[in-house]
């Protein structure tokens, strides 16, 4: 969330060389097929990769097929869902409002806490809710990078898939219903927050 | 307390501005849109850093590019009234004022609100205020900062005509009470004349002329300034034998202008300074630069009747402003022939 807030503020207000590239990278997980993304992660975080070897040396654990790896992957995969609503919310704050805060003597940090964050509140909360929901429901990337290890990397979506494969429709129904209610409640919350803007 | 400004900017929006503003003085910066008026104000507030120059508030250096000094807006202690007011929409009227105060003092904050006639609205949110109330709140917030300089960026542009007139009066009273430099950016000349002690004409970022509003409007330094301050009777002519030759006429001018002999010049005369010859009674002024013209158009706006007249057998047109009772008394009708005088002392000449 801290990273998403920082990136959203940076993209909303700062002009810098390569801004378009950063925007594209941040949005990329939104359009890239999950399996492709998962495959790249396997290559990038796998035991043969520099990052994977580095992590394993320091933490004595592999990044792929582990909960830690799943967390890293989820952060990247769900990043656009957190950044985009926050970015729109920050962009909606007029520059003059921030400048007025500075002229009132507020430091940049005070301006963030007292002015920017309360004004972008609905966007920030939407980002949090959407990215959380997306992380809970992800399937392709999790399967590619995390595998299907019970109590370690098995998400509800994968569990539903397993139950269907095992012809256990009753369990699949229950889990799918829970997911449906969960998604409905979250979307309602997001809509409510958007209306409060 | 006085503000001294000398700043230059070569890129994006060129600026080359030098002026001073003393405590208790209101300086109006006028000029067309995109000429750098607001950028100039932002430079003073520390929101924008020019390429070169300095800004001093008394002995306090806010900016000196040669010494690498650039104080942040937080350290400059300026009161800034933004064009869109830039109020904090999630905070109440009282909180908008309190946030600008160095130490939280609710009683003092209420006094600021009372000063701008917003008492009783403390708990309201800005969205529930009218345009005029928002403007007053923006001023109260600027004052709550206990500023060393007050900056007003087109403060009346977002309110309707009736409210604007009322707010101008209030602002005039307020500026008299405040003993600090006040800089007003506006493209409204009436506003500048009404509120300012000094007017600065800015064109393409450059200060072309500064002086009292009356002085700038009556005696523009050149035709560019004349056009910018909306001089309606602006013409070209040539000086020969101490006379101004213009549109087939030979006008007597003041002797001080004879140094411009044999030069093409611009000249202007204010619409209020053109003398209409009374049809009943001839005065001495009628003999001075007398012209016969035809009345083309009459428009009554705001208690003044503007007449457009055309020289007989010429295409040249002049505008003159008369009080309605003069128009009524002389029974002026469109198409009629009138006799007017361009008094020598009212003719202002400018080198091309």
């Amino acid at each position: 969330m801290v990273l998403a807030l920082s990136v959203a503020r940076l993209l909303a207000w700062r002009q810098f060389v390569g801004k378009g590239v950063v925007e594209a990278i941040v949005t990329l997980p939104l359009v890239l097929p999950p399996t492709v993304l998962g495959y790249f992660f396997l290559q990038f975080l796998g035991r043969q990769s520099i990052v994977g070897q580095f992590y394993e040396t320091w933490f004595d654990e592999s990044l792929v097929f582990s909960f830690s790896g799943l967390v890293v992957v989820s952060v990247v995969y769900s990043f656009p869902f957190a950044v985009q609503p926050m970015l729109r919310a920050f962009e909606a704050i007029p520059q003059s409002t921030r400048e007025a805060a500075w002229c009132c003597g507020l430091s940049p940090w005070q301006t963030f806490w007292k002015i920017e964050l309360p004004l972008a509140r609905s966007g920030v909360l939407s980002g949090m809710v959407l990215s959380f929901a997306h992380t809970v429901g992800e399937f392709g990337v999790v399967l590619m990078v995390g595998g299907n290890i019970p109590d370690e990397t098995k998400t509800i979506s994968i569990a539903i898939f397993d139950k269907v494969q095992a012809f256990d429709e009753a369990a699949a129904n229950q889990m799918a219903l829970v997911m449906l209610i969960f998604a409905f409640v979250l979307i309602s919350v997001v809509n409510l927050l958007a209306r409060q803007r | 307390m006085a503000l001294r400004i000398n700043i230059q900017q070569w890129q994006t929006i060129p600026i080359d501005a030098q002026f001073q503003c003393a405590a208790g003085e209101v300086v109006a910066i006028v000029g067309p849109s995109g000429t750098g008026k607001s950028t100039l104000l932002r430079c003073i507030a520390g929101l924008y850093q020019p390429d070169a120059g300095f800004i001093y508030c008394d002995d306090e250096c806010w900016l000196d590019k040669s010494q690498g000094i650039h104080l942040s807006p937080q350290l400059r202690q300026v009161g800034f009234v933004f064009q869109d007011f830039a109020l904090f929409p999630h905070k109440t009227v009282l909180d908008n004022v309190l946030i600008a105060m160095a130490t939280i003092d609710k009683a003092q904050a209420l006094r600021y609100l009372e000063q701008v006639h917003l008492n009783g609205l403390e708990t309201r949110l800005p969205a529930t205020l009218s345009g005029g109330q928002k403007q007053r709140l923006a001023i109260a917030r600027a004052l709550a900062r206990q500023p060393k300089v007050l900056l007003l960026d087109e403060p009346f542009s977002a309110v309707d005509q009736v409210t604007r007139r009322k707010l101008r009066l209030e602002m005039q009273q307020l500026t008299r009470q405040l003993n600090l430099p006040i800089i007003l950016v506006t493209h409204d000349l009436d506003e500048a004349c009404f509120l300012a002690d000094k007017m600065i004409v800015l064109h393409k970022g450059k200060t072309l002329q500064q002086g009292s509003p009356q002085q700038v409007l009556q005696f523009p330094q050149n035709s560019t300034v004349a056009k910018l301050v909306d001089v309606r009777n602006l013409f070209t002519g040539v000086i020969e034998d101490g006379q101004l030759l213009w549109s087939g006429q030979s006008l007597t001018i003041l002797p001080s202008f004879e140094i411009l002999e044999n030069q093409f010049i611009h000249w202007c005369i204010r619409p209020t300074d053109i003398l209409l010859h009374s049809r009943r009674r001839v005065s001495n002024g009628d003999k001075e630069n007398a012209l016969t013209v035809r009345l083309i158009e009459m428009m009554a706006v705001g208690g003044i009747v503007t007449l457009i007249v055309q020289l007989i057998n010429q295409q040249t047109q002049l505008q003159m402003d008369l009080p309605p009772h003069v128009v009524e008394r002389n029974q002026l009708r469109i198409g009629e022939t009138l006799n007017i005088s361009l008094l020598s002392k009212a003719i202002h000449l400018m080198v091309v």
Side-chain angles (χ1 to χ4, degrees):
Chain A
M1 276 306 126
V2 174
L3 187 67
L5 272 172
S6 307
V7 170
R9 284 187 78 236
L10 187 81
L11 291 175
W13 293 318
R14 289 282 172 89
Q15 294 301 323
F16 55 90
V17 179
K19 187 179 175 179
V21 176
V22 175
E23 277 175 332
I25 291 171
V26 169
T27 319
L28 206 57
L30 207 63
V31 289
L32 211 58
T35 44
V36 176
L37 200 65
Y39 174 73
F40 281 134
F41 276 124
L42 273 182
Q43 295 297 314
F44 187 67
L45 304 176
R47 285 185 162 156
Q48 307 303 318
S49 71
I50 297 167
V51 178
Q53 282 174 3
F54 177 80
Y55 187 85
E56 204 163 336
T57 310
W58 278 91
F59 297 100
D60 198 24
E61 184 192 28
S62 169
L63 264 177
V64 292
F65 306 117
S66 70
F67 183 74
S68 310
L70 210 58
V71 169
V72 173
V73 168
S74 297
V75 166
V76 177
Y77 185 47
S78 298
F79 202 56
F81 291 88
V83 171
Q84 291 302 331
M86 292 179 191
L87 175 59
R88 300 293 158 248
F90 283 125
E91 277 177 340
I93 301 172
Q95 178 66 9
S96 60
T97 305
R98 299 173 69 223
E99 290 178 344
W102 302 335
C103 289
C104 284
L106 269 65
S107 67
W109 184 243
Q110 287 173 321
T111 304
F112 175 71
W113 274 112
K114 294 183 177 180
I115 308 298
E116 293 169 14
L117 203 54
L119 289 177
R121 186 179 56 105
S122 60
V124 172
L125 289 174
S126 295
M128 287 167 76
V129 170
L130 282 175
S131 57
F132 175 67
H134 192 248
T135 306
V136 169
E138 69 190 41
F139 179 82
V141 176
V142 172
L143 203 60
M144 291 284 283
V145 179
N148 186 3
I149 307 165
D151 300 329
E152 180 77 17
T153 61
K154 192 174 197 171
T155 63
I156 296 178
S157 305
I158 294 174
I160 294 170
F161 180 73
D162 278 352
K163 295 295 176 193
V164 172
Q165 293 289 90
F167 300 106
D168 186 356
E169 282 192 18
N173 273 339
Q174 276 182 354
M175 283 190 275
L177 187 66
V178 169
M179 284 298 282
L180 180 70
I181 294 167
F182 175 71
F184 179 78
V185 170
L186 281 181
I187 290 295
S188 302
V189 170
V190 170
N191 287 342
L192 194 71
L193 292 173
R195 241 177 266 132
Q196 281 181 347
R197 181 174 287 185
Chain B
M1 208 172 294
L3 193 69
R4 285 183 292 132
I5 292 153
N6 183 343
I7 51 175
Q8 287 81 39
Q9 163 90 14
W10 296 288
Q11 291 165 353
T12 327
I13 303 160
I15 294 174
D16 183 11
Q18 302 83 30
F19 63 92
Q20 292 191 16
C21 183
E25 190 178 36
V26 181
V27 170
I29 301 171
V30 299
S33 301
T35 202
K37 302 189 297 290
S38 294
T39 307
L40 192 55
L41 224 52
R42 286 164 56 78
C43 287
I44 299 168
L47 298 168
Y48 189 84
Q49 205 174 149
D51 292 334
F54 61 78
I55 299 171
Y56 279 89
C57 184
D58 272 346
D59 294 332
E60 206 174 286
C61 179
W62 285 0
L63 174 88
D64 194 333
K65 292 294 282 186
S66 63
Q67 294 182 53
I69 298 170
H70 174 74
L71 292 194
S72 67
Q74 288 89 346
L75 295 173
R76 294 196 186 197
Q77 220 173 324
V78 294
F80 201 134
V81 177
F82 288 80
Q83 195 172 354
D84 61 353
F85 311 130
L87 300 171
F88 305 129
H90 59 300
K91 294 202 173 286
T92 62
V93 166
L94 182 63
D95 285 342
N96 261 279
V97 176
L98 281 172
I99 203 167
M101 297 175 78
T103 49
I104 303 297
D105 183 346
K106 196 177 167 187
Q108 181 60 38
L110 290 170
R111 277 195 288 276
Y112 284 125
L113 289 175
E114 201 177 336
Q115 201 174 358
V116 295
H117 314 297
L118 279 183
N119 36 330
L121 302 176
E122 298 84 23
T123 54
R124 298 259 293 266
L125 285 172
T128 64
L129 301 178
S130 68
Q133 287 168 335
K134 283 179 186 171
Q135 202 262 3
R136 289 190 186 104
L137 177 55
I139 291 170
R141 188 181 63 181
L143 296 178
R145 177 82 171 121
Q146 291 191 305
K148 292 175 178 169
V149 177
L150 185 60
L151 307 174
L152 310 167
D153 189 3
E154 308 256 14
F156 309 111
S157 62
V159 293
D160 61 84
Q161 188 73 27
V162 178
T163 312
R164 191 178 301 176
R165 195 173 298 131
K166 199 174 161 189
L167 287 172
R168 271 185 198 163
L169 276 168
E170 287 179 15
M171 180 63 86
Q172 195 190 39
Q173 288 163 0
L174 190 69
T175 53
R176 281 190 197 138
Q177 295 166 20
L178 303 170
N179 189 33
L180 49 101
I182 300 172
I183 298 177
L184 164 74
V185 156
T186 182
H187 60 256
D188 188 332
L189 291 167
D190 291 340
E191 198 167 284
C193 290
F194 192 78
L195 291 170
D197 304 299
K198 186 158 86 178
M199 185 193 270
I200 293 174
V201 181
L202 202 70
H203 183 53
K204 293 177 180 172
K206 197 172 169 61
T207 46
L208 292 186
Q209 189 174 351
Q210 37 189 304
S212 72
Q214 201 67 15
Q215 196 182 7
V216 174
L217 294 181
Q218 200 168 356
F219 307 113
Q221 264 173 15
N222 52 48
S223 60
T224 308
V225 176
K227 283 171 193 163
L228 291 173
V229 298
D230 194 29
V231 167
R232 286 179 278 164
N233 292 321
L234 179 65
F235 308 103
T236 51
V238 66
I239 311 275
E240 268 183 34
D241 300 327
Q243 294 286 109
L244 170 61
L245 304 184
W246 158 75
S247 206
Q249 311 293 324
S250 179
L251 305 176
T252 304
I253 52 171
L254 294 179
S256 55
F257 285 119
E258 286 173 9
I259 50 164
L260 301 170
E261 191 72 29
N262 296 319
Q263 282 191 49
F264 276 101
I265 47 93
H266 287 291
W267 71 276
C268 64
I269 185 165
R270 291 201 304 179
T272 47
D273 289 342
I274 297 176
L275 197 72
L276 176 72
H277 296 189
S278 172
R279 287 177 173 169
R280 296 179 189 163
R281 179 168 51 85
V282 178
S283 70
N284 283 339
D286 294 355
K287 296 169 189 167
E288 194 173 317
N289 293 331
L291 301 173
T292 305
V293 295
R294 189 174 305 283
L295 180 55
I296 302 293
E297 194 62 74
M298 277 199 294
M299 292 159 290
V301 180
I304 292 286
V305 181
T306 298
L307 272 58
I308 298 175
V309 296
Q310 187 170 327
L311 295 181
I312 299 294
N313 300 326
Q314 296 283 346
Q315 292 300 309
T316 311
Q317 291 187 347
L318 291 128
Q319 286 190 32
M320 51 194 290
D321 289 343
L322 295 173
H325 68 88
V326 174
V327 176
E328 190 65 31
R329 196 173 57 219
N330 286 278
Q331 295 180 327
L332 302 182
R333 300 283 180 268
I334 290 170
E336 282 182 345
T337 302
L338 310 174
N339 290 312
I340 60 170
S341 271
L342 309 182
L343 300 182
S344 300
K345 65 177 182 186
I347 293 175
H348 174 62
L349 277 65
M350 297 157 279
V351 180
V352 174

